[in-house]
PDB file of all heavy atoms in Angstrom:
ATOM      1  N   ASP A  34     223.866  30.869  72.879  1.00  0.00           N
ATOM      2  CA  ASP A  34     224.534  30.287  71.715  1.00  0.00           C
ATOM      3  C   ASP A  34     226.022  30.022  71.945  1.00  0.00           C
ATOM      4  O   ASP A  34     226.815  30.027  71.008  1.00  0.00           O
ATOM      5  CB  ASP A  34     224.325  31.149  70.469  1.00  0.00           C
ATOM      6  CG  ASP A  34     224.414  30.330  69.184  1.00  0.00           C
ATOM      7  OD1 ASP A  34     223.948  29.175  69.187  1.00  0.00           O
ATOM      8  OD2 ASP A  34     224.965  30.839  68.186  1.00  0.00           O
ATOM      9  N   LYS A  35     226.396  29.800  73.202  1.00  0.00           N
ATOM     10  CA  LYS A  35     227.784  29.453  73.532  1.00  0.00           C
ATOM     11  C   LYS A  35     227.890  27.942  73.716  1.00  0.00           C
ATOM     12  O   LYS A  35     226.989  27.305  74.261  1.00  0.00           O
ATOM     13  CB  LYS A  35     228.220  30.166  74.808  1.00  0.00           C
ATOM     14  CG  LYS A  35     228.283  31.665  74.640  1.00  0.00           C
ATOM     15  CD  LYS A  35     228.731  32.341  75.904  1.00  0.00           C
ATOM     16  CE  LYS A  35     228.722  33.857  75.692  1.00  0.00           C
ATOM     17  NZ  LYS A  35     228.779  34.581  76.928  1.00  0.00           N
ATOM     18  N   VAL A  36     229.011  27.369  73.280  1.00  0.00           N
ATOM     19  CA  VAL A  36     229.238  25.935  73.433  1.00  0.00           C
ATOM     20  C   VAL A  36     229.343  25.589  74.914  1.00  0.00           C
ATOM     21  O   VAL A  36     230.061  26.254  75.667  1.00  0.00           O
ATOM     22  CB  VAL A  36     230.509  25.492  72.683  1.00  0.00           C
ATOM     23  CG1 VAL A  36     230.822  24.027  72.954  1.00  0.00           C
ATOM     24  CG2 VAL A  36     230.364  25.741  71.188  1.00  0.00           C
ATOM     25  N   ILE A  37     228.640  24.549  75.319  1.00  0.00           N
ATOM     26  CA  ILE A  37     228.689  24.067  76.702  1.00  0.00           C
ATOM     27  C   ILE A  37     229.809  23.030  76.769  1.00  0.00           C
ATOM     28  O   ILE A  37     229.634  21.877  76.382  1.00  0.00           O
ATOM     29  CB  ILE A  37     227.345  23.444  77.134  1.00  0.00           C
ATOM     30  CG1 ILE A  37     226.224  24.465  76.972  1.00  0.00           C
ATOM     31  CG2 ILE A  37     227.426  22.933  78.573  1.00  0.00           C
ATOM     32  CD1 ILE A  37     224.837  23.888  77.162  1.00  0.00           C
ATOM     33  N   THR A  38     230.972  23.450  77.218  1.00  0.00           N
ATOM     34  CA  THR A  38     232.160  22.590  77.161  1.00  0.00           C
ATOM     35  C   THR A  38     232.094  21.383  78.087  1.00  0.00           C
ATOM     36  O   THR A  38     232.816  20.416  77.875  1.00  0.00           O
ATOM     37  CB  THR A  38     233.430  23.403  77.475  1.00  0.00           C
ATOM     38  OG1 THR A  38     233.288  23.997  78.767  1.00  0.00           O
ATOM     39  CG2 THR A  38     233.657  24.480  76.426  1.00  0.00           C
ATOM     40  N   ASP A  39     231.224  21.415  79.101  1.00  0.00           N
ATOM     41  CA  ASP A  39     231.129  20.262  79.993  1.00  0.00           C
ATOM     42  C   ASP A  39     229.879  19.416  79.720  1.00  0.00           C
ATOM     43  O   ASP A  39     229.461  18.631  80.547  1.00  0.00           O
ATOM     44  CB  ASP A  39     231.178  20.691  81.462  1.00  0.00           C
ATOM     45  CG  ASP A  39     230.043  21.627  81.848  1.00  0.00           C
ATOM     46  OD1 ASP A  39     229.307  22.095  80.958  1.00  0.00           O
ATOM     47  OD2 ASP A  39     229.894  21.902  83.053  1.00  0.00           O
ATOM     48  N   TYR A  40     229.310  19.531  78.520  1.00  0.00           N
ATOM     49  CA  TYR A  40     228.129  18.745  78.159  1.00  0.00           C
ATOM     50  C   TYR A  40     228.514  17.272  78.053  1.00  0.00           C
ATOM     51  O   TYR A  40     229.496  16.919  77.405  1.00  0.00           O
ATOM     52  CB  TYR A  40     227.547  19.233  76.823  1.00  0.00           C
ATOM     53  CG  TYR A  40     226.362  18.425  76.383  1.00  0.00           C
ATOM     54  CD1 TYR A  40     225.144  18.527  77.046  1.00  0.00           C
ATOM     55  CD2 TYR A  40     226.456  17.548  75.318  1.00  0.00           C
ATOM     56  CE1 TYR A  40     224.046  17.774  76.649  1.00  0.00           C
ATOM     57  CE2 TYR A  40     225.372  16.797  74.917  1.00  0.00           C
ATOM     58  CZ  TYR A  40     224.173  16.912  75.584  1.00  0.00           C
ATOM     59  OH  TYR A  40     223.094  16.156  75.197  1.00  0.00           O
ATOM     60  N   ARG A  41     227.740  16.388  78.707  1.00  0.00           N
ATOM     61  CA  ARG A  41     228.016  14.943  78.713  1.00  0.00           C
ATOM     62  C   ARG A  41     226.776  14.127  78.349  1.00  0.00           C
ATOM     63  O   ARG A  41     226.683  12.966  78.682  1.00  0.00           O
ATOM     64  CB  ARG A  41     228.504  14.477  80.095  1.00  0.00           C
ATOM     65  CG  ARG A  41     229.728  15.163  80.623  1.00  0.00           C
ATOM     66  CD  ARG A  41     230.991  14.791  79.864  1.00  0.00           C
ATOM     67  NE  ARG A  41     232.122  15.512  80.393  1.00  0.00           N
ATOM     68  CZ  ARG A  41     232.491  16.721  80.023  1.00  0.00           C
ATOM     69  NH1 ARG A  41     231.816  17.371  79.113  1.00  0.00           N
ATOM     70  NH2 ARG A  41     233.532  17.318  80.545  1.00  0.00           N
ATOM     71  N   GLY A  42     225.841  14.720  77.646  1.00  0.00           N
ATOM     72  CA  GLY A  42     224.607  14.028  77.295  1.00  0.00           C
ATOM     73  C   GLY A  42     224.750  13.139  76.078  1.00  0.00           C
ATOM     74  O   GLY A  42     225.831  12.964  75.518  1.00  0.00           O
ATOM     75  N   SER A  43     223.615  12.594  75.659  1.00  0.00           N
ATOM     76  CA  SER A  43     223.552  11.725  74.487  1.00  0.00           C
ATOM     77  C   SER A  43     222.534  12.279  73.506  1.00  0.00           C
ATOM     78  O   SER A  43     221.506  12.823  73.907  1.00  0.00           O
ATOM     79  CB  SER A  43     223.147  10.310  74.894  1.00  0.00           C
ATOM     80  OG  SER A  43     224.118   9.744  75.738  1.00  0.00           O
ATOM     81  N   VAL A  44     222.816  12.129  72.219  1.00  0.00           N
ATOM     82  CA  VAL A  44     221.942  12.645  71.177  1.00  0.00           C
ATOM     83  C   VAL A  44     221.573  11.531  70.199  1.00  0.00           C
ATOM     84  O   VAL A  44     222.282  10.531  70.075  1.00  0.00           O
ATOM     85  CB  VAL A  44     222.589  13.817  70.411  1.00  0.00           C
ATOM     86  CG1 VAL A  44     222.845  14.997  71.337  1.00  0.00           C
ATOM     87  CG2 VAL A  44     223.884  13.398  69.738  1.00  0.00           C
ATOM     88  N   TYR A  45     220.455  11.747  69.525  1.00  0.00           N
ATOM     89  CA  TYR A  45     219.958  10.819  68.518  1.00  0.00           C
ATOM     90  C   TYR A  45     219.796  11.573  67.206  1.00  0.00           C
ATOM     91  O   TYR A  45     219.253  12.670  67.182  1.00  0.00           O
ATOM     92  CB  TYR A  45     218.600  10.246  68.937  1.00  0.00           C
ATOM     93  CG  TYR A  45     218.659   9.437  70.200  1.00  0.00           C
ATOM     94  CD1 TYR A  45     218.542  10.049  71.440  1.00  0.00           C
ATOM     95  CD2 TYR A  45     218.854   8.065  70.151  1.00  0.00           C
ATOM     96  CE1 TYR A  45     218.603   9.303  72.604  1.00  0.00           C
ATOM     97  CE2 TYR A  45     218.923   7.317  71.312  1.00  0.00           C
ATOM     98  CZ  TYR A  45     218.797   7.943  72.533  1.00  0.00           C
ATOM     99  OH  TYR A  45     218.868   7.205  73.687  1.00  0.00           O
ATOM    100  N   PHE A  46     220.248  10.975  66.121  1.00  0.00           N
ATOM    101  CA  PHE A  46     220.126  11.580  64.796  1.00  0.00           C
ATOM    102  C   PHE A  46     218.913  10.989  64.078  1.00  0.00           C
ATOM    103  O   PHE A  46     218.581   9.816  64.255  1.00  0.00           O
ATOM    104  CB  PHE A  46     221.378  11.289  63.952  1.00  0.00           C
ATOM    105  CG  PHE A  46     222.571  12.081  64.372  1.00  0.00           C
ATOM    106  CD1 PHE A  46     223.413  11.619  65.369  1.00  0.00           C
ATOM    107  CD2 PHE A  46     222.860  13.296  63.762  1.00  0.00           C
ATOM    108  CE1 PHE A  46     224.522  12.351  65.760  1.00  0.00           C
ATOM    109  CE2 PHE A  46     223.962  14.028  64.153  1.00  0.00           C
ATOM    110  CZ  PHE A  46     224.796  13.554  65.154  1.00  0.00           C
ATOM    111  N   SER A  47     218.292  11.815  63.235  1.00  0.00           N
ATOM    112  CA  SER A  47     217.187  11.331  62.411  1.00  0.00           C
ATOM    113  C   SER A  47     217.072  12.196  61.167  1.00  0.00           C
ATOM    114  O   SER A  47     217.597  13.305  61.103  1.00  0.00           O
ATOM    115  CB  SER A  47     215.872  11.368  63.191  1.00  0.00           C
ATOM    116  OG  SER A  47     215.516  12.695  63.519  1.00  0.00           O
ATOM    117  N   THR A  48     216.380  11.665  60.168  1.00  0.00           N
ATOM    118  CA  THR A  48     216.025  12.416  58.975  1.00  0.00           C
ATOM    119  C   THR A  48     214.651  11.946  58.537  1.00  0.00           C
ATOM    120  O   THR A  48     214.356  10.749  58.584  1.00  0.00           O
ATOM    121  CB  THR A  48     217.052  12.251  57.833  1.00  0.00           C
ATOM    122  OG1 THR A  48     216.608  13.036  56.715  1.00  0.00           O
ATOM    123  CG2 THR A  48     217.239  10.813  57.417  1.00  0.00           C
ATOM    124  N   ASP A  49     213.826  12.895  58.148  1.00  0.00           N
ATOM    125  CA  ASP A  49     212.511  12.519  57.642  1.00  0.00           C
ATOM    126  C   ASP A  49     212.369  12.871  56.162  1.00  0.00           C
ATOM    127  O   ASP A  49     211.280  12.857  55.610  1.00  0.00           O
ATOM    128  CB  ASP A  49     211.400  13.154  58.469  1.00  0.00           C
ATOM    129  CG  ASP A  49     211.440  14.675  58.471  1.00  0.00           C
ATOM    130  OD1 ASP A  49     212.331  15.255  57.831  1.00  0.00           O
ATOM    131  OD2 ASP A  49     210.575  15.273  59.120  1.00  0.00           O
ATOM    132  N   THR A  50     213.505  13.152  55.517  1.00  0.00           N
ATOM    133  CA  THR A  50     213.474  13.510  54.096  1.00  0.00           C
ATOM    134  C   THR A  50     214.125  12.456  53.204  1.00  0.00           C
ATOM    135  O   THR A  50     213.887  12.450  52.003  1.00  0.00           O
ATOM    136  CB  THR A  50     214.174  14.864  53.866  1.00  0.00           C
ATOM    137  OG1 THR A  50     215.518  14.780  54.336  1.00  0.00           O
ATOM    138  CG2 THR A  50     213.426  15.993  54.569  1.00  0.00           C
ATOM    139  N   ASP A  51     214.957  11.573  53.768  1.00  0.00           N
ATOM    140  CA  ASP A  51     215.631  10.539  52.984  1.00  0.00           C
ATOM    141  C   ASP A  51     215.764   9.293  53.857  1.00  0.00           C
ATOM    142  O   ASP A  51     216.723   9.144  54.611  1.00  0.00           O
ATOM    143  CB  ASP A  51     217.018  11.029  52.536  1.00  0.00           C
ATOM    144  CG  ASP A  51     217.744  10.034  51.633  1.00  0.00           C
ATOM    145  OD1 ASP A  51     217.249   8.888  51.460  1.00  0.00           O
ATOM    146  OD2 ASP A  51     218.807  10.393  51.094  1.00  0.00           O
ATOM    147  N   PHE A  52     214.774   8.416  53.745  1.00  0.00           N
ATOM    148  CA  PHE A  52     214.756   7.235  54.610  1.00  0.00           C
ATOM    149  C   PHE A  52     215.833   6.217  54.254  1.00  0.00           C
ATOM    150  O   PHE A  52     216.099   5.309  55.031  1.00  0.00           O
ATOM    151  CB  PHE A  52     213.365   6.595  54.604  1.00  0.00           C
ATOM    152  CG  PHE A  52     212.322   7.509  55.191  1.00  0.00           C
ATOM    153  CD1 PHE A  52     211.374   8.111  54.387  1.00  0.00           C
ATOM    154  CD2 PHE A  52     212.332   7.813  56.542  1.00  0.00           C
ATOM    155  CE1 PHE A  52     210.434   8.973  54.921  1.00  0.00           C
ATOM    156  CE2 PHE A  52     211.402   8.681  57.088  1.00  0.00           C
ATOM    157  CZ  PHE A  52     210.445   9.262  56.266  1.00  0.00           C
ATOM    158  N   GLY A  53     216.501   6.387  53.111  1.00  0.00           N
ATOM    159  CA  GLY A  53     217.614   5.514  52.740  1.00  0.00           C
ATOM    160  C   GLY A  53     218.970   6.069  53.154  1.00  0.00           C
ATOM    161  O   GLY A  53     220.005   5.473  52.870  1.00  0.00           O
ATOM    162  N   ALA A  54     218.957   7.202  53.843  1.00  0.00           N
ATOM    163  CA  ALA A  54     220.211   7.844  54.255  1.00  0.00           C
ATOM    164  C   ALA A  54     220.922   7.032  55.334  1.00  0.00           C
ATOM    165  O   ALA A  54     220.295   6.312  56.106  1.00  0.00           O
ATOM    166  CB  ALA A  54     219.924   9.246  54.782  1.00  0.00           C
ATOM    167  N   THR A  55     222.230   7.195  55.370  1.00  0.00           N
ATOM    168  CA  THR A  55     223.039   6.645  56.449  1.00  0.00           C
ATOM    169  C   THR A  55     223.291   7.788  57.421  1.00  0.00           C
ATOM    170  O   THR A  55     223.818   8.831  57.031  1.00  0.00           O
ATOM    171  CB  THR A  55     224.380   6.102  55.922  1.00  0.00           C
ATOM    172  OG1 THR A  55     224.114   5.108  54.937  1.00  0.00           O
ATOM    173  CG2 THR A  55     225.217   5.528  57.048  1.00  0.00           C
ATOM    174  N   ILE A  56     222.886   7.592  58.684  1.00  0.00           N
ATOM    175  CA  ILE A  56     223.073   8.619  59.702  1.00  0.00           C
ATOM    176  C   ILE A  56     223.835   8.021  60.874  1.00  0.00           C
ATOM    177  O   ILE A  56     223.852   6.804  61.049  1.00  0.00           O
ATOM    178  CB  ILE A  56     221.718   9.229  60.155  1.00  0.00           C
ATOM    179  CG1 ILE A  56     220.781   8.147  60.694  1.00  0.00           C
ATOM    180  CG2 ILE A  56     221.072   9.988  59.010  1.00  0.00           C
ATOM    181  CD1 ILE A  56     219.471   8.680  61.242  1.00  0.00           C
ATOM    182  N   PRO A  57     224.466   8.842  61.700  1.00  0.00           N
ATOM    183  CA  PRO A  57     225.260   8.331  62.821  1.00  0.00           C
ATOM    184  C   PRO A  57     224.426   7.501  63.802  1.00  0.00           C
ATOM    185  O   PRO A  57     223.326   7.907  64.197  1.00  0.00           O
ATOM    186  CB  PRO A  57     225.768   9.599  63.510  1.00  0.00           C
ATOM    187  CG  PRO A  57     225.719  10.647  62.452  1.00  0.00           C
ATOM    188  CD  PRO A  57     224.537  10.292  61.587  1.00  0.00           C
ATOM    189  N   ALA A  58     224.939   6.343  64.153  1.00  0.00           N
ATOM    190  CA  ALA A  58     224.366   5.479  65.192  1.00  0.00           C
ATOM    191  C   ALA A  58     222.864   5.306  65.025  1.00  0.00           C
ATOM    192  O   ALA A  58     222.100   5.461  65.974  1.00  0.00           O
ATOM    193  CB  ALA A  58     224.694   6.023  66.577  1.00  0.00           C
ATOM    194  N   GLN A  59     222.430   4.986  63.838  1.00  0.00           N
ATOM    195  CA  GLN A  59     221.006   4.893  63.539  1.00  0.00           C
ATOM    196  C   GLN A  59     220.257   4.080  64.597  1.00  0.00           C
ATOM    197  O   GLN A  59     220.545   2.925  64.835  1.00  0.00           O
ATOM    198  CB  GLN A  59     220.806   4.271  62.157  1.00  0.00           C
ATOM    199  CG  GLN A  59     219.491   4.573  61.549  1.00  0.00           C
ATOM    200  CD  GLN A  59     219.532   4.502  60.033  1.00  0.00           C
ATOM    201  OE1 GLN A  59     220.551   4.187  59.433  1.00  0.00           O
ATOM    202  NE2 GLN A  59     218.426   4.809  59.405  1.00  0.00           N
ATOM    203  N   GLY A  60     219.300   4.728  65.275  1.00  0.00           N
ATOM    204  CA  GLY A  60     218.515   4.080  66.315  1.00  0.00           C
ATOM    205  C   GLY A  60     219.205   3.991  67.661  1.00  0.00           C
ATOM    206  O   GLY A  60     218.646   3.466  68.615  1.00  0.00           O
TER     207      GLY A  60
END
């Protein structure tokens, strides 16, 4: 549970509870 300070990956945001939500970089 320690922050990985040299992490350089990419992540995808999603929600399955509010399909009208605005989320970061949708898709």
Side-chain angles (χ1 to χ4, degrees):
D34 206 37
K35 294 181 182 164
V36 174
I37 303 171
T38 58
D39 60 351
Y40 178 71
R41 303 290 178 274
S43 297
V44 297
Y45 297 87
F46 286 87
S47 64
T48 180
D49 60 0
T50 58
D51 184 352
F52 296 108
T55 302
I56 58 176
Q59 201 155 2

